Amino acid sequence: KINSPIYSVHAGFRVNPEVKELGNKFSKRSLISVQEAEKELVQNFGKVCNIDPFMKIYLENNVFSNKNFKTYNGENPFLLCTSSDYYRLFKEYNFNLLLDIGHLKVSCKSLNLDFSRELQIMLERSDYIHISDNNGLSDQNLGLKKNSDMFDLLYSFSSLLKDKTLTIEVYDGMESVLETNNCLLEILS
């Protein structure tokens, strides 16, 4: 109805959460298998992609927070949190990845993965990136700071950010949005 050529949706879950839980701590529930959840995701995402062949639809990586890590005793109830999740899903369905680096940072911390390595792999596979920072425990959507580890890491991967769609997804005020924009201009220069 809005005639946008680009849309995105989050990857699914191994549970059926309440709407109020999205972006927050999930209540403990039984998990369906990764295979079953991914099969359902591929079927439903395929239906969405078939609505209009001229739309470009992205699947956004999920975030596995520290709170949800504790709730599920380390078992991940979310789909598409890591590069191995990406490769497994991509074998089943050729999709466009929307990479949220804030989500990836938190998921890597929860899963004890090398964020730098995961970021490089995922940046190589996406042309649409959400930019924000956080404490590694939850998705805080904080702005970039020039003296931060995230700034340094993105600077080291500057060639992987060029010619991509970048969205500043920052919720801590307009000054932070502007500071993030300035950081990105420096990274990309």
Side-chain angles (χ1 to χ4, degrees), residues 108-151:
C108 286
K109 175 97 171 162
S110 295
L111 295 166
N112 198 27
L113 298 173
D114 181 339
F115 175 54
S116 177
R117 182 180 178 284
E118 287 289 309
L119 181 60
Q120 180 177 0
I121 292 168
M122 300 289 263
L123 282 172
E124 290 171 348
R125 279 138 192 90
S126 181
D127 66 355
Y128 188 6
I129 316 296
H130 281 183
I131 305 288
S132 68
D133 201 357
N134 57 60
N135 62 4
L137 300 175
S138 67
D139 186 29
Q140 300 167 296
N141 294 97
L142 301 175
L144 290 181
K145 304 257 185 243
K146 190 165 179 191
N147 60 349
S148 69
D149 291 339
M150 183 67 85
F151 175 87

Side-chain angles (χ1 to χ4, degrees), residues 59-136:
L59 194 57
E60 183 175 349
N61 60 307
N62 267 321
V63 57
F64 185 28
S65 70
N66 181 263
K67 287 180 182 177
N68 285 315
F69 179 89
K70 289 177 181 175
T71 298
Y72 285 92
N73 299 317
E75 191 170 2
N76 190 352
F78 300 90
L79 301 179
L80 189 57
C81 292
T82 68
S83 62
S84 62
D85 295 343
Y86 168 83
Y87 285 124
R88 191 175 53 253
L89 273 170
F90 194 78
K91 275 201 275 188
E92 299 300 318
Y93 193 87
N94 182 354
F95 66 93
N96 301 301
L97 173 66
L98 188 168
L99 175 60
D100 186 312
I101 62 170
H103 290 182
L104 186 63
K105 180 179 178 180
V106 172
S107 295
C108 286
K109 175 97 171 162
S110 295
L111 295 166
N112 198 27
L113 298 173
D114 181 339
F115 175 54
S116 177
R117 182 180 178 284
E118 287 289 309
L119 181 60
Q120 180 177 0
I121 292 168
M122 300 289 263
L123 282 172
E124 290 171 348
R125 279 138 192 90
S126 181
D127 66 355
Y128 188 6
I129 316 296
H130 281 183
I131 305 288
S132 68
D133 201 357
N134 57 60
N135 62 4

